[in-house]
Amino acid sequence: MSEPRPSDRHDASDPDDTFAEIVDEETQRDPDLAVIEAGSRTLRTQSGPPQGEVVPDRPSDPETDRALREVEQELAGRWGETKLEPSVIRIAALMDVLGEPQRAYPSIHITGTNGKTSTARMIEALLGAFELRTGRYTSPHVQSITERISLDGAPIEAERFIETYNDIKPYVEMVDAQQPYRLSFFEVLTGMAYAAFADAPVDVAVVEVGMGGTWDATNVIDASVAVVTPISLDHTDRLGSTPAEIAGEKAGVIKQDATVILAQQPVDAAQVMLKKAVEVDATVAREGMEFGVVSREIAVGGQLLTLRGLGGEYDNIFLPLYGAHQAHNAAVALAAVEAFFGIGAEQARSLDVEAVRKAFLSVLSPGRLEVVRSSPTVVLDAAHNPAGALAAAEGVSEAFSFSRLIGVVGASDGKDVRGLLEAFEPIFAEIVVTQNSSPRSMDADALAAVAVEVFGNERVQVEPRLDDALEAAITLAEEEAEYAGAGVLVTGSVITVGEARLLLGRR
């Protein structure tokens, strides 16, 4: 097995604060900020501390599993996530008949091209470390649809997912009857998330857009903090053919008087975001200017960071994720939480560094440079566009010392597969092209034709079934003794990664 390169600096110990220590800390804080950070302590005590993120299995109870499948089938019968009618009219109508649940709590809204889900998980962990009850809405899911709606750091239970769907179903049907088009799969799920968060209730919602921003179904919230992760070319048929055009759509999440946390961007995309911020009197914090990564060091199982936030520096932060892109996501997440607490504006102070360290230590991001097997090492990454592939390639090369790396790639139709494959070409000794079970999956032979142009015929193997592709890649990694340090990277699509995760027995 090829191990991550070690660091001689990593102290993961961080004992839980006692109740007395918490009380003492609260008496020394600004009273208003203390109230925000304390959140719903009684509810927190009842629900317990945030649990480590997991990808849930199918329900063990046959009746619950049957009911969940019925809900999944009903949702699947609606417009899928790639079929859109760009407006928020239907979701706004649903919110209206539900009593505007999305206005029952403050929100942090996340847009961008890459890094949204990882950043959302980090924001969630940080908020949880300050005793706020969180709701998180992200997409797509890796294995289970219930992953999309999380409470207190964990996907909602299947029973609660079913109950939430049944609760809003009559209202969904009411809106369906009044609109030219029925609510889509994503719109119904968004309604479910907002309703579940209000019902919990949560202290703050962390919401990731599905696509774009202006007309995305999530954009019926008035978030006080808008986060923009790096923008690159993706969904060009829907959002535009340049970073500036795409930024124009994504800038729709920036609301009046909000704070914008802007990750490093292409110049033209940044200009669009800054112009939008001026129009709505939003405050902008830019990575590399007001906040950023001061230093990073590769460590066993992740990396050790020093981050500069809006309120000062935070050192000795261990992040159990690989890749420079995750360090930048961490800086963005930290700035977003500081902005939520008013730090850098109303408050000239920093967050408690021990709480920040504890939060980042707990972060997991399934399917993002995730090691799921050893001997040989198998890594999963959900990169599905060229920018994401470049970040994954750099992360793998930095964190692992593979003597030979085999790629397993299954992509979706309509993606820039040539750009994705070109990003991986320097690090893949050989590539096994395949396809997943989704109707949107690119045909393996069609993908192979592009792969041959990028890699050459002798480096490409075609296995239409994903299980056969995994077996073939693992065999290639193990076939010669001199390549005992070989590894496998499965990538190209969130769906491919999720199915590989199941096949490899990861839970």
Side-chain angles (χ1 to χ4, degrees):
M1 174 180 176
S2 176
E3 294 288 349
R5 295 167 188 164
S7 167
D8 57 4
R9 296 172 62 200
H10 170 35
D11 180 9
S13 62
D14 190 7
D16 292 337
D17 291 330
T18 64
F19 179 75
E21 289 172 337
I22 293 173
V23 171
D24 182 62
E25 287 175 6
E26 292 300 330
T27 60
Q28 298 178 45
R29 291 178 177 166
D30 177 273
D32 293 332
L33 187 61
V35 171
I36 295 174
E37 292 186 353
S40 301
R41 294 302 181 95
T42 302
L43 287 169
R44 239 10 202 133
T45 301
Q46 292 172 351
S47 62
Q51 301 299 309
E53 178 70 17
V54 295
V55 176
D57 292 326
R58 296 296 310 183
S60 57
D61 176 63
E63 284 302 308
T64 303
D65 186 55
R66 179 194 57 76
L68 180 60
R69 290 185 189 279
E70 287 180 358
V71 172
E72 290 171 328
Q73 288 172 1
E74 289 187 26
L75 289 170
R78 295 178 173 272
W79 274 2
E81 289 174 281
T82 58
K83 186 173 182 180
L84 305 169
E85 193 277 316
S87 88
V88 294
I89 292 174
R90 290 175 304 282
I91 187 67
L94 179 60
M95 293 297 99
D96 182 53
V97 297
L98 288 175
E100 304 291 348
Q102 82 282 13
R103 305 200 188 284
Y105 39 80
S107 301
I108 297 175
H109 208 175
I110 306 171
T111 190
T113 302
N114 292 308
K116 295 188 296 295
T117 298
S118 293
T119 302
R121 292 177 187 276
M122 293 179 195
I123 291 172
E124 174 187 53
L126 284 163
L127 292 168
F130 290 98
E131 300 294 335
L132 290 182
R133 193 160 202 229
T134 58
R136 173 171 52 81
Y137 181 52
T138 54
S139 61
H141 57 275
V142 177
Q143 288 176 204
S144 171
I145 195 171
T146 60
E147 297 166 38
R148 295 180 180 232
I149 305 172
S150 289
L151 293 172
D152 293 325
I156 64 173
E157 294 180 353
E159 292 86 353
R160 191 165 192 169
F161 186 90
I162 296 162
E163 180 183 352
T164 302
Y165 176 77
N166 288 332
D167 284 346
I168 75 164
K169 183 177 178 180
Y171 301 97
V172 168
E173 293 172 344
M174 186 186 307
V175 173
D176 284 344
Q178 297 170 349
Q179 298 294 325
Y181 305 102
R182 293 201 310 157
L183 287 152
S184 70
F185 168 88
F186 187 73
E187 288 169 331
V188 175
L189 275 173
T190 301
M192 289 173 61
Y194 289 160
F197 296 161
D199 186 59
V202 302
D203 297 316
V204 55
V206 183
V207 179
E208 173 190 336
V209 304
M211 186 186 301
T214 300
W215 41 259
D216 187 76
T218 63
N219 202 30
V220 288
I221 54 175
D222 291 318
S224 61
V225 178
V227 176
V228 187
T229 66
I231 292 173
S232 61
L233 299 182
D234 199 8
H235 300 296
T236 52
D237 57 329
R238 300 283 185 179
L239 303 179
S241 58
T242 67
E245 290 177 351
I246 293 172
E249 289 294 334
K250 293 182 182 294
V253 304
I254 301 174
K255 303 299 171 57
Q256 189 75 32
D257 299 321
T259 299
V260 184
I261 305 301
L262 196 60
Q264 291 178 344
Q265 303 290 346
V267 173
D268 55 348
Q271 290 173 338
V272 171
M273 289 291 172
L274 293 172
K275 181 181 178 181
K276 173 68 174 182
V278 169
E279 290 173 355
V280 297
D281 293 322
T283 301
V284 179
R286 299 154 295 177
E287 184 181 5
M289 300 290 287
E290 286 77 25
F291 69 94
V293 179
V294 175
S295 66
R296 54 185 296 270
E297 178 183 349
I298 309 309
V300 174
Q303 50 194 308
L304 195 66
L305 309 175
T306 296
L307 302 176
R308 185 176 76 253
L310 305 179
E313 284 196 2
Y314 302 78
D315 62 0
N316 293 316
I317 294 172
F318 180 74
L319 180 67
L321 301 174
Y322 301 115
H325 60 295
Q326 295 288 17
H328 290 285
N329 289 340
V332 169
L334 177 62
V337 172
E338 286 182 310
F340 181 77
F341 287 139
I343 293 172
E346 295 90 350
Q347 299 290 333
R349 62 178 289 273
S350 59
L351 297 174
D352 177 64
V353 68
E354 289 302 324
V356 170
R357 288 172 183 154
K358 187 173 183 179
F360 278 119
L361 185 64
S362 71
V363 172
L364 298 174
S365 195
R368 277 75 179 177
L369 289 182
E370 179 188 19
V371 178
V372 294
R373 172 183 165 150
S374 58
S375 300
T377 300
V378 178
V379 182
L380 307 180
D381 193 85
H384 57 273
N385 56 46
L390 282 170
E394 291 172 3
V396 167
S397 300
E398 176 185 75
F400 300 89
S401 53
F402 291 124
S403 59
R404 182 175 179 230
L405 183 61
I406 312 300
V408 175
V409 179
S412 297
D413 265 331
K415 296 293 184 179
D416 181 3
V417 294
R418 178 178 293 277
L420 182 141
L421 293 174
E422 287 174 346
F424 284 122
E425 190 278 332
I427 69 166
F428 285 166
E430 296 179 67
I431 180 173
V432 182
V433 298
T434 187
Q435 60 193 72
N436 57 57
S437 63
S438 168
R440 294 170 49 205
S441 183
M442 187 174 185
D443 178 76
D445 289 330
L447 180 57
V450 182
V452 167
E453 294 176 2
V454 174
F455 288 84
N457 188 64
E458 63 281 355
R459 293 169 63 193
V460 178
Q461 182 172 334
V462 184
E463 294 291 349
R465 288 172 52 105
L466 181 56
D467 54 351
D468 292 336
L470 292 171
E471 183 178 354
I474 290 170
T475 300
L476 286 170
E478 292 178 328
E479 67 181 3
E480 296 181 38
E482 65 179 294
Y483 294 135
V488 175
L489 175 62
V490 184
T491 188
S493 161
V494 176
I495 298 170
T496 299
V497 163
E499 292 181 357
R501 224 174 173 272
L502 281 171
L503 288 168
L504 293 166
R506 186 71 171 184
R507 294 290 184 266

